[in-house]
DNA sequence: GTAGGGTTAG
C-alpha cells in the first residue's frame, strides 16, 4: 500500500460505518459532503456483490456521477473477489466523465497480481499507456513490482521505457530498483543477465546511486544464471558496504547448494554467522533437503544442529529426509538416534519413516534390532503399521518365509525358532495383523509356489475376524488356477461373492486361462458367456493357447469352430489366434480349408501379417503346391509386407526340395541384400540341400562360411551336415564332425550312426563301420524295431558278420546281448 | 494389479 494514498484499510473503514444494511442503502441517503464517500462506497459494494450484476441498471447509471478515483480505490479494496473488483474497475473505466489515475490502476494491479491473473494484468499495463496516465516514480515502481511478482518481466521493461518516452514519468533509482527486481524474477535466465547489466549501465549514466535493493536483484540474476564469479563479485560489494542480510545470504547459499557446492555453501554460512547474519528457517529447510539429495548428510546434519541452536523447531519432513539419507548411507545408528530425537520433540513418526528405517537393514538381525528400538510406546495401530512395513521389507528382500513367521507371531501363533522374532514377541506386546498384513504375505507366497501356506493364512483371516479384500481373493484364485486347482478356485469365488466383492476381469481371466490350459473348449465357452454378462473380456492369449492345444491333438476343425463361437459371443480373435488355427488346419492336411479361412479373415478386415503368410507358404510347399506357394509369396510382397528370415528359409527349403539348388543359393544372396541375416536354419537347409544335390564341396564351404559369420551350428545342423557328408560318400569327414559334435556335448540321433555305418560299408571300410556300430550300441542308440533304419542296421550287421575282420566282434556283441538277436 | 500367444531346418 506504499503508493496507495488511502492508508486506512477499507475493511476497517466499512466497519466504522456499519451497521448499514447494504440492501437498504438508497441513493437518497447519500451524503452531499464532498469528503464523505462512505455511503457511496457501500452502495457500490452492495450493487456489485448482488447477483446478477447488470452494468446498464438505472441504479448504477445514477451512481456514475459520484465516481472519483478515491472512491474507486476504496471500493476496489473492499471486494473479496478479484473478478468483482475487475468488473467494477472496467465498468468505472467506461463511465462518462470519470478517468482512472495511477492509484486506481495500482490498486487493481495489486489485486490481480495477488490473484496471479496475468492476462488482465497485462491488459492493465497497456491501458495505463493508452490513457496517458502520468505517475510519480514511486507509483511506477509499485506497478512494476506487481508485474514482476507474477513473472511479467517483459511487460515491466516495455512499460518502463514507454512511460519514460511518453513523458508520463521520470523514473528514479527506486523505479529502477523495482524494475531490476522484476527482471530478477524472470524465468528466462540468459536474457535476464543482459537486461540487468543494461539497466545498471543506464542507472550509472544517469547518475543514480546503487543501494542494497539495486544489488540484491543483480545477485539473484547472476545466481540464477549460474554465473558464480559475477555473483561473488556482487556479493563482495554488498559485504563491503555492510548490507548483507539474511535474504542476501540465502540467495547465495541456495545458489551454491543448487550447483552442488555444499562445502562452499557451508563455509559461507559460518563466515556470515561471525557477522551475526543468520539463515532463516525456510532456507535452512531447503538447504537440508538439498544437501541430503547431494548425498551430503554430514553437512545436512550440521545445519540441522545449527537451526536448532537458533531456536527453530525441526518438523516431520526434515526428520524424514535426514533419516532417509542416513538409511541410504547405511548409518543405522545415527538414523535411530534421530528417531529418538523426534520423540523428544513429540513428533510422531509416519509410515514413510518406519519404512525407511526398516528397509535399511542389510542383515536379518538388524531388522529386529531396528524394530526393538522403535516399537516401544506405540499404540496397537502403530504397531500394526510398523509390522506391515517390516513385512513389506522382508518380502521385497525375498525373505518370504521370514515374513510368514512374523505374521504368525503377530497372530500370536508359533513362528518357529526365530531368535530375533522371539526377542520381539517376548515382552507380551499385543500385535494385531490387519487386512494389509495378510495381503502382503499372501501376495508374496502365491508366486513363490507356497499356495497352501497362503490358503491357510486365508483361513486364519476368517478365524480372527479379519476382512479379506479383492487383491487377496484375486491372488488366491490366480494361484489356484495356475496350479490347475480350478475346483478350489470356484470355492474361493463363491466366498468372494458372498462377502460382497464382485469378481473382476482379472478374476475371471485367471479361471478362463485354467480352462484353456486344460483344453476344455466347452467349459471355456461357458465361462466366456458369463464374462460377457459382466462386461469382462477374455484374454486372447488364453484362447490362443487353447486353439494351439486343440490343434496339437489334431482337432483343428474344432478349434476353428471355437473361434467362430467366440465371434458369435462378440469377441473377435486377432490374427495370432487365427494363425494358430491356420497352422492346425495345415497340420491335418486341410490346406484348402486353411486357404479359405485365410481369405475369410481378410474379407472381415483382418490384415494378415508375415507370420500368417509364412504358415500358408509352408503349408503349400509341404503339399508340393510350389506354384501357389510362390504366388502367395508374391501377394505378400505386393501388400508391402517385408519377408522375414523365416519366409526366406521357407523359400530356400522349397527350392532345395524341388531340386533347384541354385535358386536356393540365389535366395541366400537376396537375404543379405534385404538385410535379413541368415540364421542356423538357413544354413542347415542349404547345407542339406547341397549334399542332396551331390555338391559336398559347396556344402563344406557353406559350413565354413556359416562359422566364419559367427553362426554356431546346433545339434540339427551337425546332424544334417554329417548325414549329408555320408550321403556323398565322405564318411571320414563325417566322422570328424561327429567327434566335434560329441565334444560339444550334443547327442546325435541313431540315424546318424546308421548313415555312418552304411557309408563306411559302401566305402568297404568294415572295421570303421563296426567301430561306429559298436559306439551306437554302447550309447543305447540302436534303432527301434519299427524304425526304417532297423532293416539297414540288420543288413549292416549281416555284412559285418560275414567278413573275417569283424565277424568275431559281431558275434561277441550278439552273445553278450548288446545287439538284439537278429534273425539273419 | 493387467499381455503375449501364432511361422522355418534333420
Amino acid at each position: 500500500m506504499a503508493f496507495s494514498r488511502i492508508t486506512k484499510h477499507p475493511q476497517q473503514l466499512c466497519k466504522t460505518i456499519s451497521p448499514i444494511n447494504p440492501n437498504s442503502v438508497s441513493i437518497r441517503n447519500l451524503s452531499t459532503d464532498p469528503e464523505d464517500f462512505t455511503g457511496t462506497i457501500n452502495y457500490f459494494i452492495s450493487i456489485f456483490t448482488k447477483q446478477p450484476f447488470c452494468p446498464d441498471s438505472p441504479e448504477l447509471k445514477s451512481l456514475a456521477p459520484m465516481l472519483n478515483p478515491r472512491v474507486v480505490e476504496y471500493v476496489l479494496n473492499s471486494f473479496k473477489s478479484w473478478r468483482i473488483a475487475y468488473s467494477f474497475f472496467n465498468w468505472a473505466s467506461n463511465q462518462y466523465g470519470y478517468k482512472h489515475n495511477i492509484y486506481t490502476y495500482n490498486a487493481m494491479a495489486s489485486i490481480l497480481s495477488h490473484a496471479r491473473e496475468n492476462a488482465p494484468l497485462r491488459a492493465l499495463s497497456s491501458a495505463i499507456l493508452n490513457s496517458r496516465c502520468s505517475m510519480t516514480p514511486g507509483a511506477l515502481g509499485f506497478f512494476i513490482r506487481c508485474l514482476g511478482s507474477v513473472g511479467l518481466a517483459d511487460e515491466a521493461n516495455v512499460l518502463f521505457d514507454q512511460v519514460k518516452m511518453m513523458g508520463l514519468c521520470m523514473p528514479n533509482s527506486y523505479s529502477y530498483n523495482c524494475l531490476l527486481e522484476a527482471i530478477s524474477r524472470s524465468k528466462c535466465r540468459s536474457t535476464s543477465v543482459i537486461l540487468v547489466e543494461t539497466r545498471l549501465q543506464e542507472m550509472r549514466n544517469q547518475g543514480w546511486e546503487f543501494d542494497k535493493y539495486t544489488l540484491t536483484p543483480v545477485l539473484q540474476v547472476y545466481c540464477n544464471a549460474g554465473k558464480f564469479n559475477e555473483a561473488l563479485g556482487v556479493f563482495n560489494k554488498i559485504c563491503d558496504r555492510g548490507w548483507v542480510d539474511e535474504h542476501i545470504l540465502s540467495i547465495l547459499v541456495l545458489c551454491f547448494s543448487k550447483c552442488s557446492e555444499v562445502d562452499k555453501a557451508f563455509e559461507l554460512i559460518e563466515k556470515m554467522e561471525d557477522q551475526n547474519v543468520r539463515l532463516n528457517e525456510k532456507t535452512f529447510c531447503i538447504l537440508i533437503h538439498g544437501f541430503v539429495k547431494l548425498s551430503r548428510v554430514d553437512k545436512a546434519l550440521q545445519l540441522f544442529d545449527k537451526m536448532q541452536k537458533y531456536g527453530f523447531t525441526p518438523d516431520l519432513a526434515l526428520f524424514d529426509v535426514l533419516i532417509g539419507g542416513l538409511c541410504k548411507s547405511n548409518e543405522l545408528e545415527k538414523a535411530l538416534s534421530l528417531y529418538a530425537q523426534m520423540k523428544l520433540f513429540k513428533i510422531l513418526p509416519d509410515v514413510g519413516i518406519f519404512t525407511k528405517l526398516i528397509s535399511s537393514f542389510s542383515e536379518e538381525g538388524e531388522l529386529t534390532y531396528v524394530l526393538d528400538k522403535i516399537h516401544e510406546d506405540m499404540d496397537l495401530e502403530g504397531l500394526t503399521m510398523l509390522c506391515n512395513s517390516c513385512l513389506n521389507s522382508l518380502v521385497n528382500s525375498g525373505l518370504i518365509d521370514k515374513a510368514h513367521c512374523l505374521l504368525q507371531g503377530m497372530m500370536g501363533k508359533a513362528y518357529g525358532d526365530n531368535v530375533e522374532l522371539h526377542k520381539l514377541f517376548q515382552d507380551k506386546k499385543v500385535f494385531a495383523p490387519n487386512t494389509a498384513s495378510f495381503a502382503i504375505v499372501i501376495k508374496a507366497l502365491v508366486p513363490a509356489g507356497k499356495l497352501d501356506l497362503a490358503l491357510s493364512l486365508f483361513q486364519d483371516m476368517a478365524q480372527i475376524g479379519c476382512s479379506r479384500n479383492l487383491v487377496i481373493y484375486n491372488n488366491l484364485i490366480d494361484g489356484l488356477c495356475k496350479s490347475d486347482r480350478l475346483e478350489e478356485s470356484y470355492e474361493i469365488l463363491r466366498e468372494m461373492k458372498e462377502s460382497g466383492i464382485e469378481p473382476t476381469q482379472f478374476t475371471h481371466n485367471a479361471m478362463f486361462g485354467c480352462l484353456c490350459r486344460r483344453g476344455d473348449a466347452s467349459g471355456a465357452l461357458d465361462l466366456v458367456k458369463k464374462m460377457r454378462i459382466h462386461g469382462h473380456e477374455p484374454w486372447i492369449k488364453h484362447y490362443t493357447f487353447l486353439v494351439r492345444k486343440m490343434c496339437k491333438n489334431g482337432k483343428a476343425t474344432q478349434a476353428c469352430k471355437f473361434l467362430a463361437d467366440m465371434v458369435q459371443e462378440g469377441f473377435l480373435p486377432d490374427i495370432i489366434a487365427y494363425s494358430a488355427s491356420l497352422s492346425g488346419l495345415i497340420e491335418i492336411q486341410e490346406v484348402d480349408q486353411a486357404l479359405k479361412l485365410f481369405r475369410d479373415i481378410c474379407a472381415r478386415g483382418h490384415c494378415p501379417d508375415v507370420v500368417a503368410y509364412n504358415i500358408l507358404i509352408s503349408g503349400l510347399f509341404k503339399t508340393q503346391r510350389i506354384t501357389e506357394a510362390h504366388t502367395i509369396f508374391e501377394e505378400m510382397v505386393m501388400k508391402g509386407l517385408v519377408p522375414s528370415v523365416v519366409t526366406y528359409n521357407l523359400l530356400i527349403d522349397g527350392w532345395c526340395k524341388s531340386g533347384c539348388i541354385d535358386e536356393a543359393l540365389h535366395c541366400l544372396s537376396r537375404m543379405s541384400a534385404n538385410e535379413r541375416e541368415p540364421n542356423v536354419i538357413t544354413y542347415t537347409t542349404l547345407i542339406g540341400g547341397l549334399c542332396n544335390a551331390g555338391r559336398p564341396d559347396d556344402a563344406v564351404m557353406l559350413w565354413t562360411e556359416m562359422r566364419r559369420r559367427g553362426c554356431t551350428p546346433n545339434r540339427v545342423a551337425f546332424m544334417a551336415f554329417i548325414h549329408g557328408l555320408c550321403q556323398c560318400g565322405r564318411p571320414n569327414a563325417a566322422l570328424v564332425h561327429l567327434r566335434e559334435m560329441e565334444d560339444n556335448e550334443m547327442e546325435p540321433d541313431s540315424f546318424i550312426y546308421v548313415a555312418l555305418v552304411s557309408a563306411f560299408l559302401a566305402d568297404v571300410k568294415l572295421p570303421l563301420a563296426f567301430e561306429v556300430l559298436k559306439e551306437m550300441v554302447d550309447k543305447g542308440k540302436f534303432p527301434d524295431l519299427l524304425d526304417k533304419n532297423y532293416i539297414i542296421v540288420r543288413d549292416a550287421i549281416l555284412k559285418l558278420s560275414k567278413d573275417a575282420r569283424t565277424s568275431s566282434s559281431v558275434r561277441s556283441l550278439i552273445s553278450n546281448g548288446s545287439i538284439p538277436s537278429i534273425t539273419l
Side-chain angles (χ1 to χ4, degrees):
Chain A
M1 297 296 284
F3 292 90
S4 245
R5 285 183 310 197
I6 301 160
T7 46
K8 214 174 194 180
H9 196 276
Q11 238 76 17
Q12 278 176 312
L13 189 94
C14 288
K15 259 180 212 154
T16 59
I17 55 174
S18 59
I20 293 177
N21 178 355
N23 296 324
S24 69
V25 180
S26 95
I27 196 151
R28 283 186 302 277
N29 301 339
L30 295 181
S31 163
T32 48
D33 175 357
E35 288 302 307
D36 182 7
F37 301 126
T38 51
T40 318
I41 289 165
N42 278 305
Y43 202 54
F44 277 120
I45 295 169
S46 81
I47 290 174
F48 275 84
T49 45
K50 226 194 280 169
Q51 297 294 332
F53 155 67
C54 176
D56 300 321
S57 76
E59 265 179 314
L60 267 179
K61 280 222 163 89
S62 57
L63 263 179
M66 313 289 289
L67 280 176
N68 67 42
R70 287 187 69 184
V71 168
V72 170
E73 203 183 339
Y74 260 107
V75 173
L76 281 176
N77 286 321
S78 335
F79 292 125
K80 286 203 181 81
S81 140
W82 72 268
R83 276 176 211 283
I84 296 175
Y86 196 50
S87 66
F88 169 72
F89 182 87
N90 286 329
W91 173 81
S93 314
N94 293 327
Q95 298 314 305
Y96 180 77
Y98 171 77
K99 198 166 183 291
H100 287 306
N101 67 10
I102 190 61
Y103 302 108
T104 57
Y105 280 116
N106 276 349
M108 192 65 242
S110 168
I111 292 167
L112 290 172
S113 75
H114 279 112
R116 308 204 67 79
E117 287 296 328
N118 288 16
L121 196 52
R122 236 184 245 133
L124 208 58
S125 189
S126 326
I128 289 184
L129 293 172
N130 287 334
S131 71
R132 314 189 69 84
C133 165
S134 63
M135 61 197 81
T136 63
L140 170 63
F142 184 89
F143 195 90
I144 295 276
R145 288 176 67 193
C146 290
L147 290 171
S149 75
V150 293
L152 295 176
D154 288 342
E155 285 76 359
N157 269 297
V158 170
L159 182 73
F160 191 89
D161 288 333
Q162 290 286 318
V163 293
K164 218 164 77 178
M165 221 175 64
M166 293 164 74
L168 304 175
C169 177
M170 276 303 293
N172 63 10
S173 67
Y174 174 77
S175 330
Y176 269 103
N177 288 350
C178 294
L179 181 61
L180 290 172
E181 191 196 279
I183 296 170
S184 76
R185 286 161 163 257
S186 158
K187 292 223 157 52
C188 190
R189 284 156 188 199
S190 45
T191 44
S192 298
V193 172
I194 300 165
L195 277 174
V196 154
E197 286 174 351
T198 316
R199 295 295 179 184
L200 281 181
Q201 194 53 50
E202 264 177 54
M203 286 180 79
R204 245 183 241 120
N205 294 343
Q206 292 168 30
W208 298 118
E209 295 266 315
F210 296 170
D211 63 11
K212 178 160 118 175
Y213 299 99
T214 316
L215 296 182
T216 309
V218 177
L219 176 71
Q220 181 81 65
V221 164
Y222 283 135
C223 282
N224 288 348
K227 294 197 169 248
F228 251 151
N229 291 330
E230 287 84 347
L232 273 176
V234 176
F235 184 76
N236 287 335
K237 268 184 209 153
I238 297 175
C239 269
D240 292 346
R241 293 168 198 182
W243 291 340
V244 182
D245 61 15
E246 64 174 37
H247 178 223
I248 289 169
L249 174 62
S250 295
I251 293 174
L252 193 60
V253 168
L254 289 175
C255 172
F256 281 137
S257 164
K258 248 187 221 157
C259 302
S260 312
E261 297 281 358
V262 175
D263 294 305
K264 273 193 193 158
F266 206 82
E267 241 172 74
L268 184 63
I269 294 166
E270 298 208 307
K271 213 170 98 189
M272 287 295 115
E273 244 176 353
D274 298 340
Q275 300 181 26
N276 265 330
V277 179
R278 294 166 165 189
L279 295 176
N280 59 26
E281 186 172 10
K282 194 177 160 196
T283 311
F284 266 120
C285 292
I286 299 175
L287 285 175
I288 291 172
H289 278 86
F291 285 9
V292 172
K293 222 180 227 163
L294 295 168
S295 305
R296 289 299 300 273
V297 194
D298 54 333
K299 290 293 173 198
L301 280 172
Q302 283 186 35
L303 279 186
F304 185 70
D305 286 340
K306 222 183 259 301
M307 77 177 281
Q308 288 180 59
K309 269 189 213 127
Y310 292 171
F312 299 124
T313 316
D315 61 2
L316 180 69
L318 274 185
F319 278 109
D320 181 84
V321 73
L322 284 168
I323 289 177
L326 287 167
C327 288
K328 212 168 145 198
S329 55
N330 275 323
E331 297 178 83
L332 211 47
E333 278 302 330
K334 281 190 193 165
L336 284 170
S337 101
L338 266 190
Y339 175 83
Q341 222 179 316
M342 272 182 91
K343 284 200 274 188
L344 294 178
F345 282 105
K346 299 216 183 325
I347 297 174
L348 283 179
D350 64 355
V351 193
I353 290 186
F354 287 144
T355 311
K356 285 186 183 91
L357 280 169
I358 287 164
S359 340
S360 71
F361 69 90
S362 52
E363 281 161 40
E364 204 200 315
E366 283 176 1
L367 167 65
T368 33
Y369 176 71
V370 174
L371 257 181
D372 197 44
K373 291 274 177 197
I374 62 182
H375 88 284
E376 301 158 14
D377 52 54
M378 291 196 79
D379 59 8
L380 189 60
E381 203 182 322
L383 280 173
T384 305
M385 203 168 74
L386 180 60
C387 286
N388 288 355
S389 290
C390 269
L391 290 172
N392 258 320
S393 186
L394 286 166
V395 159
N396 290 338
S397 328
L399 299 169
I400 299 160
D401 289 326
K402 292 286 175 317
H404 182 245
C405 287
L406 175 56
L407 181 56
Q408 294 282 108
M410 286 168 77
M411 284 189 284
K413 289 195 173 190
Y415 46 82
D417 50 2
N418 189 309
V419 187
E420 304 293 341
L421 288 182
H422 185 63
K423 266 193 263 167
L424 177 67
F425 292 119
Q426 70 185 357
D427 59 1
K428 297 190 186 76
K429 271 254 175 207
V430 184
F431 291 84
N434 59 13
T435 304
S437 325
F438 285 98
I440 295 164
V441 182
I442 289 177
K443 189 172 180 261
L445 283 171
V446 171
K450 310 204 168 178
L451 186 55
D452 288 305
L453 223 46
L455 285 167
S456 93
L457 284 179
F458 183 73
Q459 297 309 332
D460 290 338
M461 293 184 81
Q463 229 165 39
I464 66 171
C466 182
S467 64
R468 288 110 167 220
N469 64 16
L470 176 69
V471 180
I472 292 178
Y473 279 114
N474 274 355
N475 280 320
L476 284 174
I477 289 175
D478 191 39
L480 284 166
C481 288
K482 285 203 172 117
S483 315
D484 198 32
R485 289 160 68 172
L486 186 62
E487 290 64 29
E488 288 163 82
S489 84
Y490 273 114
E491 184 56 29
I492 305 274
L493 180 70
R494 199 183 50 75
E495 282 185 47
M496 180 175 179
K497 287 179 178 166
E498 271 174 13
S499 69
I501 299 176
E502 277 303 304
T504 63
Q505 176 148 298
F506 189 87
T507 327
H508 279 142
N509 268 302
M511 303 172 116
F512 180 64
C514 186
L515 288 164
C516 288
R517 280 187 296 272
R518 286 183 174 186
D520 181 353
S522 70
L525 200 63
D526 285 342
L527 183 54
V528 164
K529 288 178 181 169
K530 253 186 238 162
M531 290 172 77
R532 198 165 62 88
I533 295 164
H534 281 86
H536 296 161
E537 186 141 356
W539 291 346
I540 302 186
K541 71 160 177 181
H542 286 144
Y543 62 88
T544 303
F545 186 92
L546 173 64
V547 166
R548 231 9 254 131
K549 177 149 187 160
M550 292 170 86
C551 289
K552 262 186 210 150
N553 297 331
K555 295 182 179 168
T557 317
Q558 291 90 323
C560 290
K561 172 78 172 54
F562 175 82
L563 289 181
D565 289 338
M566 289 298 284
V567 175
Q568 273 294 305
E569 292 300 321
F571 299 113
L572 301 183
D574 60 9
I575 190 64
I576 300 183
Y578 279 121
S579 295
S581 69
L582 282 178
S583 96
L585 286 171
I586 283 168
E587 265 171 69
I588 56 167
Q589 321 288 325
E590 295 284 0
V591 183
D592 286 314
Q593 276 246 261
L595 278 168
K596 184 179 175 304
L597 177 59
F598 184 81
R599 296 299 171 206
D600 286 350
I601 298 168
C602 294
R604 267 187 278 140
H606 282 286
C607 283
D609 58 5
V610 175
V611 176
Y613 271 103
N614 288 343
I615 293 167
L616 280 190
I617 293 170
S618 159
L620 290 166
F621 271 131
K622 266 187 207 146
T623 46
Q624 323 300 328
R625 294 160 71 165
I626 320 273
T627 321
E628 283 169 88
H630 284 113
T631 312
I632 286 278
F633 170 73
E634 295 302 332
E635 178 188 316
M636 176 186 117
V637 176
M638 288 285 284
K639 277 196 183 169
L641 293 171
V642 184
S644 67
V645 180
V646 175
T647 320
Y648 282 110
N649 290 348
L650 288 168
L651 292 178
I652 288 173
D653 196 38
W655 289 123
C656 286
K657 294 237 163 71
S658 47
C660 305
I661 189 69
D662 288 314
E663 289 285 356
L665 287 168
H666 178 63
C667 251
L668 179 68
S669 40
R670 262 169 56 200
M671 283 180 84
S672 344
N674 293 325
E675 289 177 335
R676 285 282 185 254
E677 194 67 26
N679 61 17
V680 70
I681 298 179
T682 321
Y683 288 113
T684 305
T685 310
L686 274 166
I687 287 166
L690 283 166
C691 291
N692 236 342
R695 291 164 60 173
D697 292 323
D698 290 334
V700 171
M701 270 168 57
L702 198 58
W703 178 265
T704 317
E705 166 76 3
M706 168 181 79
R707 309 210 70 168
R708 194 182 60 74
R709 293 182 69 161
C711 178
T712 317
N714 59 16
R715 189 171 160 268
V716 177
F718 267 111
M719 293 197 295
F721 191 36
I722 294 169
H723 184 254
L725 288 170
C726 290
Q727 261 180 298
C728 296
R730 298 196 177 178
N732 286 319
L735 192 58
V736 173
H737 287 100
L738 177 73
R739 297 297 172 230
E740 191 188 347
M741 199 180 165
E742 289 165 344
D743 288 345
N744 287 320
E745 290 176 342
M746 295 181 206
E747 271 198 18
D749 283 346
S750 77
F751 82 95
I752 291 299
Y753 294 101
V754 177
L756 273 161
V757 170
S758 305
F760 277 126
L761 276 178
D763 208 16
V764 215
K765 302 224 169 90
L766 274 69
L768 280 169
F770 177 77
E771 202 178 293
V772 177
L773 175 77
K774 185 163 185 307
E775 193 176 327
M776 176 176 76
V777 169
D778 291 346
K779 295 226 162 105
K781 297 277 177 185
F782 203 89
D784 202 72
L785 195 65
L786 296 172
D787 191 328
K788 64 176 183 210
N789 288 307
Y790 183 84
I791 315 265
I792 303 174
V793 176
R794 195 194 62 182
D795 294 347
I797 292 170
L798 189 61
K799 266 192 193 156
L800 291 170
S801 65
K802 285 185 180 157
D803 189 276
R805 287 167 294 180
T806 48
S807 60
S808 63
S809 310
V810 172
R811 266 197 299 278
S812 72
L813 273 186
I814 294 174
S815 64
N816 72 19
S818 299
I819 301 179
S821 57
I822 293 169
T823 18
L824 299 176

